[in-house]
Amino acid sequence: MNKSVLMVGSGAYLPEKILTNDDLATFVDTDDGWIKQRTGIAQRHIVADGELTSDLAYNAAINALENANMTADDIDVIVLATTTPDDTFPATAAQVQNRLGAYNAFAFDVQAVCAGFVYALTVAESLLLANKGRRALVIGAESFSKLLDWEDRTTCVLFGDGAGAVILEASDDAQNYGILSSALYTDGRHRDILYVDGGPSKTGSVGHVRMKGQDVFRHAVEKLASSMYAVIEQAGVSETEIDWLIPHQANLRIIDGMQKKLGLPADRVVRTVSEHANTSAASIPLALNQAVSDGRVKSGHLLAFEAIGGGLSWGAALVRYGRP
Ligand code: COA
């Protein structure tokens, strides 16, 4: 029998502090109307002083373990997607492993910026399929506010902080549940349209996000659509079978553009960008957990994930949620 990888639980955590568009407008030349109209964002959560990416990731992981009725001992692999690690090294995943006491697990970070969750999911799936463990904790966690130039209104209004997590479990009897297909892509030629102007080997500093927004927008719709078509074809399903599109939450116009391209009804899309803004690698698992918690996503539903970010790196995955 073929081995497959189920998605059996989710969790999330958001820092308490909320920054509304009106709050932003007190120190940047922007306004609530512009931000909402161009992006759909109304507010974002921001880490408190001393609150680290590992704190967000740990809380999301605890929430996911509770929701899946598991303990840290049950986890064999931890893959944490982040662009904002606590330290240059060790991996933030190792800090999370220690706080959880998940000493049966090996743990490492994956860096694919806003596509990080789709990358981490695929990496974790591959490890479970290669018998490197039975259960994986996949986390997307970001303190993206730490990378923002708060004087640059073209970027600082777009991002927020948070974490989401899922638990994967290898199964020999998945009955068409679990990760049905995934596809990853990178095109480093477009590095200069979305990057951070710092780093250990270049400047020795962390740096700030720099972006050519319109160029990113143009690539996003085209590349997300082609990656969705690739995973739909790979899984042998039709787009009309998708119960929920759970996209990376960067911009409402990109999300709605994808919904229309796929021909999905508007109420089959999970949208959290208005409350969370763009939380990079955390945005998909945060959105997923919201829809699981409020009862929209149920076991057996076909979920479509897609994301694009700096690199450019992008990808998509189709998952039938829960256990057969
Ligand atoms: N508040 C008010 N005005 C702003 C502003 C802000 N926060 N940011 C930019 N503007 C101004 C610009 O200066 C420009 O003014 P000008 O016409 O006088 O020069 C005007 O608004 C239009 O700017 P433009 O960049 O053309 O707007 P846009 O419609 O392309 O929207 C983005 C900008 C960033 C919202 C949009 O391009 C986008 O969402 N791109 C994708 C970005 C993304 O998703 N990145 C993350 C991928 S992981």
Side-chain angles (χ1 to χ4, degrees), residues 28-31 34-35 38-39 113-115 152-155 157-159 194 211-218 220 248 250-251 253-254 278 280 308-310:
V28 196
D29 180 16
T30 189
D31 60 86
W34 190 96
I35 301 173
R38 305 281 174 138
T39 71
V113 207
C114 295
D152 175 8
R153 67 177 184 172
T154 69
T155 52
V157 304
L158 302 174
F159 297 91
L194 182 52
M211 181 175 73
K212 293 181 184 149
Q214 286 187 1
D215 290 346
V216 175
F217 198 107
R218 193 168 42 80
H248 171 50
N251 181 311
R253 290 187 290 151
I254 297 175
N278 181 348
S280 185
I308 184 164

Side-chain angles (χ1 to χ4, degrees), residues 28-106:
V28 196
D29 180 16
T30 189
D31 60 86
D32 180 55
W34 190 96
I35 301 173
K36 277 191 182 142
Q37 195 241 333
R38 305 281 174 138
T39 71
I41 297 166
Q43 62 169 50
R44 67 287 292 141
H45 291 250
I46 301 287
V47 285
D49 284 347
E51 192 173 29
L52 305 180
T53 297
S54 62
D55 297 323
L56 309 182
Y58 167 77
N59 285 305
I62 288 283
N63 187 219
L65 287 169
E66 277 171 11
N67 289 338
N69 290 319
M70 287 182 198
T71 69
D73 286 343
D74 295 322
I75 301 300
D76 306 307
V77 183
I78 300 173
V79 185
L80 191 153
T82 190
T83 305
T84 47
D86 292 8
D87 305 300
T88 301
F89 81 78
T92 301
Q95 302 304 298
V96 174
Q97 183 245 29
N98 185 37
R99 270 189 77 185
L100 291 171
Y103 300 116
N104 296 330
F106 61 93

Side-chain angles (χ1 to χ4, degrees), residues 232-243:
I232 284 168
E233 192 182 327
Q234 229 186 87
V237 299
S238 129
E239 46 266 51
T240 57
E241 293 174 58
I242 294 170
D243 291 296

Side-chain angles (χ1 to χ4, degrees), residues 145-160:
S145 59
K146 299 290 170 92
L147 296 180
L148 299 176
D149 173 352
W150 291 99
E151 291 179 358
D152 175 8
R153 67 177 184 172
T154 69
T155 52
C156 77
V157 304
L158 302 174
F159 297 91

